[in-house]
């Protein structure tokens, strides 16, 4: 895996004058060298995308759908190869990497299906008022222009797919900028797109370093920005280009609420297992990993030891081992940051029940209780394998605790009561409420996004397609309706 990887410029392979190394966070080995585009090559890609806007929008739906189907099938055929690559550059345990490839297969398939039925047009009679006699309005959705997709490191393939596939489905050219830590997975998409009949210039995958991104963000030929990453960077992008359309999928400190009616041993075992798994999967590096457990006092004392036991049962170690549940964080600096936040919390009075140890880029799955409200861990997104548990009295206090956050991506509520489920849906200030499970559940076809500092706009294939387009109305006059 040490060959130099080319980037993709307007549908073709290209190399620049410089390279950078991609290394494994698990053992530091070289995964590959990646070529960096020059400023002139970036300009060529942007100009090509801008030039093909009208042509791509007019491309027949069957051409776009066929390309998306092709990528889906080829991803499926290369699942193990790509999963090994994701695991190598990201440190993600191989079983989770295989799952990520499977999700990307679905995303491109969903996009192919949506491309075939998207933009059928809505006809509206306007003769409901006298001034509209003989008039008919036809509404269609039109691409807003070239999409600049900025992908994160934690799901380097699937979150790139969530930007690329909807853009192709609606006929919007896209320039994808992968995360510098994990670019090779995204470059695989370039290989597969190059096998299709999409117009030259309709897509590029540019391995541009982060310090060169402001120029791309400011470029007027890129009117749509789809960013997944930290709230600090996301809102800085939005504030720098207030006239552009920005979709921001940002952070969270997701809560799992366990209410008093979720009380049988089977209930609590299920909740503990799901909480332990999804506070630690991807090394906790998911915007919807479980960071906070909010448990009703009536179940708290029984639930806590079950969670601790389930967390301690998580298998840590080599991400290449299929038995491994928790691998390293993306790099040692990330693990050091998590370590500092946990240490701060413990020094302030939090009780450490398990974990709390770092070795290189790896941080042990950790559980704390009695977390002071003013420590960093209580307010920010830890983005690591750390879980806190709090005791509350009743539903109202539990829901208030969920909302006592600057973030609002998703929340999980363990309850059997349908009325409680609807109250949670109404009361919780989040983009998604998952009943009977953790907040980490995401189906790639459903709308996904948050409230407050968790971002603006929605992903999920059809919803991103809406986000990348606008409604244009055609009024026909003099018709015999």
């Amino acid at each position: 895996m040490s060959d130099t990887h080319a980037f993709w410029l307007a549908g073709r392979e290209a190399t620049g004058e410089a390279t950078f190394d991609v290394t494994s966070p698990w053992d530091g080995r070289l995964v590959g060298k990646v070529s960096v585009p020059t400023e002139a090559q970036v300009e060529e890609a942007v100009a090509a995308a801008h030039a093909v806007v009208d042509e791509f929008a007019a491309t027949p739906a069957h051409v776009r759908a066929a390309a998306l189907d092709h990528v889906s099938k080829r991803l499926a055929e290369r699942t193990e190869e790509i999963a090994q690559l994701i695991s190598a550059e990201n440190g993600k345990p191989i079983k989770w990497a295989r799952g990520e490839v499977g999700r990307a297969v679905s995303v491109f398939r969903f996009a192919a299906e949506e491309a075939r039925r998207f933009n059928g047009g809505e006809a509206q009679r306007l003769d409901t008022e006298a001034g509209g006699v003989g008039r008919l309005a036809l509404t269609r959705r039109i691409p807003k222009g070239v999409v600049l997709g900025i992908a994160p490191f934690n799901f380097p393939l699937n979150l790139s797919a969530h930007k690329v596939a909807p853009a192709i489905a609606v006929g919007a050219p896209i320039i994808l900028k992968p995360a510098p830590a994990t670019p090779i997975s995204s470059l695989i998409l370039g290989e597969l797109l190059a096998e299709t009949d999409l117009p030259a210039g309709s897509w590029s995958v540019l391995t541009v370093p982060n310090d060169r991104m402001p120029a791309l963000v400011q470029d007027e030929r890129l009117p749509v920005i789809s960013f997944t990453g930290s709230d600090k960077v996301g809102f800085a992008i939005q504030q720098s280009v207030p006239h552009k359309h920005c979709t921001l999928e940002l952070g969270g400190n997701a809560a799992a609420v366990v209410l008093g009616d979720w009380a049988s041993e089977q209930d609590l075992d299920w909740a503990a297992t799901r909480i332990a798994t999804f506070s630690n999967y991807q090394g906790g590096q998911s915007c919807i990993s479980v960071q906070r457990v909010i448990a009703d006092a009536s179940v708290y004392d029984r639930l806590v030891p079950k969670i601790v036991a389930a967390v301690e049962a998580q298998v840590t170690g080599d991400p290449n081992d299929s038995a491994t549940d928790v691998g390293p964080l993306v790099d040692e600096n990330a693990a050091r940051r998590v370590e500092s936040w946990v240490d701060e919390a413990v020094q302030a009075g939090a009780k450490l029940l398990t974990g709390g140890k770092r070795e290189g880029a790896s941080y042990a799955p950790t559980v704390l209780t009695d977390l002071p409200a003013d420590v960093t861990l209580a307010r920010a997104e830890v983005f690591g394998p750390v879980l806190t548990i709090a005791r509350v009295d009743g539903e109202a206090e539990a829901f208030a605790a969920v909302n006592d956050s600057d973030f609002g991506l998703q929340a999980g509520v363990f309850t059997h009561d349908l009325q409680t489920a609807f109250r949670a849906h109404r009361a919780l200030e989040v983009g998604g409420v998952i009943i009977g499970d953790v907040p980490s559940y995401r189906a790639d076809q459903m709308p996904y996004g948050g409230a407050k500092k968790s971002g603006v706009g929605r992903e999920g294939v059809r919803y991103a397609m809406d986000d990348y387009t606008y409604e244009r109305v055609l009024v026909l006059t003099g018709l015999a309706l």
Side-chain angles (χ1 to χ4, degrees):
M1 291 186 180
S2 59
D3 294 335
T4 298
H5 297 268
F7 52 86
W8 293 89
L9 194 168
R12 70 179 193 277
E13 279 190 300
T15 56
E17 298 170 355
T19 64
F20 64 92
D21 292 344
V22 177
T23 58
S24 166
W26 169 246
D27 56 15
R29 76 184 188 278
L30 179 66
V31 178
K33 289 183 177 292
V34 175
S35 187
V36 179
T38 65
E39 291 186 7
Q41 288 171 320
V42 172
E43 167 59 28
E44 182 181 348
V46 174
H50 182 67
V52 82
V53 165
D54 292 340
E55 177 189 348
F56 196 30
T59 301
H62 75 87
V63 173
R64 288 179 273 118
L68 293 162
D69 271 330
H70 176 83
V71 174
S72 178
K73 292 172 183 175
R74 293 286 284 131
L75 284 171
E77 291 169 359
R78 297 176 63 178
T79 292
E80 187 60 25
E81 170 201 351
I82 299 171
Q84 293 286 347
L85 180 57
I86 292 171
S87 183
E89 67 175 349
N90 176 278
K92 181 176 299 193
I94 188 64
K95 68 178 182 181
W96 294 116
R98 290 174 182 136
E100 179 175 350
V101 180
R103 290 180 62 186
V105 169
S106 296
V107 167
F108 277 93
R109 186 181 73 250
F110 295 151
E113 295 165 355
E114 292 292 351
R116 292 184 173 97
R117 58 177 169 249
F118 187 70
N119 218 349
E122 178 184 350
Q124 181 181 16
R125 292 179 65 134
L126 301 180
D127 60 356
T128 52
E129 299 291 339
V133 171
R135 296 180 186 267
L136 183 76
L138 180 67
T139 303
R140 300 169 64 194
R141 298 197 68 88
I142 307 298
K144 294 174 180 174
V146 184
V147 177
L148 173 60
I150 307 172
F153 71 82
N154 56 332
F155 291 87
L157 179 69
N158 194 45
L159 293 186
S160 293
H162 268 287
K163 301 185 187 309
V164 172
I168 292 172
V170 300
I174 181 162
I175 293 175
L176 177 68
K177 187 271 186 197
T182 57
I184 305 175
S185 312
S186 298
L187 294 172
I188 293 287
L189 291 180
E191 291 183 31
L192 306 184
L193 287 168
E195 298 170 354
T196 71
D197 295 325
L198 294 175
S202 61
W203 60 273
S204 293
V205 183
L206 301 181
T207 47
V208 179
N210 289 341
D211 60 6
R212 288 171 55 191
M213 281 308 297
L216 272 174
V217 167
Q218 293 290 334
D219 197 305
E220 294 297 328
R221 294 166 295 178
L222 308 176
V224 179
I225 298 174
S226 177
F227 171 84
T228 301
S230 73
D231 59 298
K232 179 180 178 181
V233 175
F235 286 123
I237 288 173
Q238 185 186 51
Q239 291 165 11
S240 73
V241 285
H243 57 292
K244 291 193 178 188
H245 178 88
C246 293
T247 299
L248 305 177
E249 298 297 340
L250 309 178
N253 54 3
V257 176
V258 184
L259 293 176
D261 69 310
W262 199 269
S264 71
E265 291 301 311
Q266 183 178 6
D267 284 344
L268 296 179
D269 286 343
W270 163 258
T273 299
R274 297 293 284 177
I275 288 166
T277 297
F278 289 98
S279 64
N280 293 292
Y281 86 125
Q282 326 289 340
Q285 297 170 122
S286 168
C287 297
I288 47 177
S289 65
V290 184
Q291 182 171 332
R292 299 182 291 155
V293 175
I294 298 165
D296 189 84
S298 63
V299 298
Y300 180 91
D301 290 336
R302 294 162 57 211
L303 178 63
V304 170
K306 290 178 182 289
I307 291 176
V308 171
V311 168
E312 291 178 340
Q314 295 285 299
V315 178
T316 62
D318 187 348
N320 294 308
D321 187 337
S322 293
T324 298
D325 299 308
V326 187
L329 276 70
V330 69
D331 56 37
E332 189 167 345
N333 286 336
R336 289 184 183 278
R337 178 190 53 76
V338 172
E339 179 183 43
S340 70
W341 288 13
V342 172
D343 289 349
E344 176 201 20
V346 171
Q347 290 167 11
K351 184 178 180 181
L352 180 67
L353 301 186
T354 191
K357 297 178 181 178
R358 181 185 64 82
E359 184 175 348
S362 296
Y363 195 79
T366 297
V367 180
L368 303 102
T369 58
D370 304 326
L371 190 70
D374 58 349
V375 299
T376 307
L377 190 58
R379 308 304 305 178
E381 178 183 36
V382 66
F383 225 58
V386 178
L387 178 68
T388 67
I389 311 175
R391 183 197 306 260
V392 294
D393 290 313
E395 175 190 310
E397 188 174 329
F399 290 174
V402 174
N403 290 339
D404 184 21
S405 171
D406 292 335
F407 298 98
L409 194 46
Q410 293 197 158
V413 180
F414 289 89
T415 181
H416 295 290
D417 186 79
L418 186 61
Q419 294 292 348
T420 300
F422 275 91
R423 286 195 297 271
H425 193 225
R426 182 176 64 245
L428 298 181
E429 298 165 354
V430 295
V433 178
I434 315 300
I435 300 299
D437 205 351
V438 291
S440 317
Y441 176 80
R442 178 183 179 184
D444 290 288
Q445 69 270 40
M446 77 183 195
Y448 176 79
K452 299 189 280 191
K453 285 187 177 180
S454 288
V456 294
R458 290 295 180 267
E459 288 193 339
V461 176
R462 174 56 193 264
Y463 303 91
M465 291 167 69
D466 286 344
D467 225 30
Y468 293 167
T469 56
Y470 68 95
E471 292 176 322
R472 182 182 291 172
V473 178
L474 172 71
V475 176
L476 301 175
T477 305
L479 300 179
L481 298 177

